[in-house]
Structure formats: structure tokens, C-alpha cells
């Protein structure tokens, strides 16, 4: 059942809906991974990393809402359910238990890198199909690359 009629042609809508669904899954998982690490990070840089992780959570949650609302506007029902996120994310699972600050940083660099790679693919894939969605992916990528850089600098 389609409640909202998309302004996009069917082929373009298929491309864009796949990109939006994938982005939503990655962003929801990124927020969960960052929050899991946030709760379990230990070490001499605990406080700064703890706070930095919350910044990533906020960015991922804000962008996931933007992506979900863009999908809805195009007639694509967003799906951020746990099972969908678990089966479709491109991020490695966060380690269980306490995580040393250096390992926390490394895990976040890897997670952000994985999402950035997939976002850049979405930027490339949606330009002709829907420049509006492409613009959203460009903004997300820029924000994630900023956090990626900041976490890389933590262990330099």
C-alpha cells in the first residue's frame, strides 16, 4: 500500500529508496554503536571520548530522522526496526564490556569509515535520480567525515 505518491519516476524511486533505507539503517546502527561504547569506555581519556561519542550519537540520530522523513516524503516507508538494522548495517558490532579508550577510538574510526564509504556510494548513486536526496547524503557525509577526522586525531 502506498499512502504517499512519489514525484519520482519508478526507476529513480527504486534507486533512491534503496539508498535512503540503507542510510537509515547505517545511521541508526552508528548511534547504537557510539552509545554502547559511550557507556563502556574506560581509560585516561574517558571524559573527552565519552563526550565526543555523544556528539556522534546526536549527529547520527538527527540525520536518521532527516533520512526517514525524506523517505516518507517520497512514499517510502522508513524501517528502523532492530531486526532491519541488525541485518542491514555495514558496521561491525561494538565489543561487549569495558573498552579501553584507545580501542574505543579505533572502533569509532572503523565504524565511521564504513558508514562514510557507503554514504559516498549513495551520493554517487542518487545524483541523477534525485538531487534533493543526494544533497542530504552530501551533508551527512560531511558531518561524519568531521567526526572521523576528530577520532583519528585521538590516536595519532
Amino acid at each position: 500500500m502506498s499512502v504517499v505518491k512519489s514525484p519520482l519516476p519508478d526507476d529513480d524511486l527504486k534507486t533512491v529508496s534503496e539508498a535512503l533505507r540503507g542510510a537509515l539503517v547505517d545511521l541508526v546502527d552508528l548511534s547504537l554503536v557510539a552509545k554502547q561504547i559511550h557507556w563502556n569506555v574506560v581509560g585516561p581519556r574517558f571524559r573527552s571520548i565519552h563526550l565526543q561519542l555523544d556528539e556522534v550519537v546526536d549527529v547520527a540520530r538527527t540525520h536518521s530522522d532527516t533520512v526517514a522523513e525524506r523517505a516518507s516524503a517520497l512514499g517510502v516507508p522508513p524501517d528502523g526496526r532492530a531486526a532491519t538494522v541488525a541485518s542491514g548495517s555495514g558496521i561491525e558490532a561494538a565489543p561487549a564490556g569495558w573498552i579501553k579508550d584507545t580501542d574505543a577510538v579505533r572502533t569509532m574510526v572503523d565504524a565511521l569509515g564504513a558508514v562514510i564509504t557507503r554514504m559516498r556510494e549513495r551520493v554517487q548513486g542518487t545524483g541523477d535520480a534525485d538531487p534533493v536526496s543526494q544533497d542530504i547524503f552530501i551533508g551527512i557525509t560531511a558531518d561524519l567525515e568531521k567526526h572521523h577526522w576528530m577520532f583519528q586525531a585521538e590516536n595519532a
Side-chain angles (χ1 to χ4, degrees):
M1 167 175 82
S2 179
V3 176
V4 178
K5 175 75 173 117
S6 175
L8 299 177
D10 288 344
D11 287 345
D12 290 346
L13 181 60
K14 182 179 183 314
T15 298
V16 174
S17 66
E18 288 172 5
L20 289 166
R21 286 178 174 148
L24 180 60
V25 163
D26 283 347
L27 290 165
V28 169
D29 199 25
L30 181 63
S31 73
L32 294 171
V33 166
K35 194 50 109 169
Q36 179 66 25
I37 295 169
H38 166 91
W39 292 324
N40 289 286
V41 66
V42 294
R45 295 179 297 153
F46 162 80
R47 181 159 171 75
S48 64
I49 293 170
H50 182 80
L51 295 173
Q52 192 175 359
L53 288 161
D54 263 346
E55 292 174 12
V56 173
V57 170
D58 290 344
V59 165
R61 287 180 179 168
T62 297
H63 284 307
S64 66
D65 193 51
T66 299
V67 166
E69 289 178 357
R70 179 66 185 157
S72 293
L74 295 176
V76 177
D79 188 355
R81 296 173 299 162
T84 303
V85 172
S87 68
S89 176
I91 304 172
E92 294 288 323
W98 305 118
I99 181 167
K100 283 187 46 110
D101 53 4
T102 53
D103 295 334
V105 168
R106 193 171 307 107
T107 300
M108 284 308 300
V109 167
D110 291 347
L112 286 161
V115 175
I116 289 166
T117 296
R118 290 165 59 113
M119 285 297 172
R120 285 189 161 275
E121 291 169 0
R122 293 174 184 118
V123 168
Q124 293 299 317
T126 57
D128 291 334
D130 181 26
V132 175
S133 294
Q134 182 192 46
D135 187 54
I136 291 169
F137 295 137
I138 290 169
I140 293 168
T141 304
D143 282 349
L144 296 180
E145 286 178 345
K146 176 182 148 192
H147 287 286
H148 190 242
W149 153 60
M150 290 181 172
F151 273 106
Q152 288 180 78
E154 288 279 350
N155 276 352

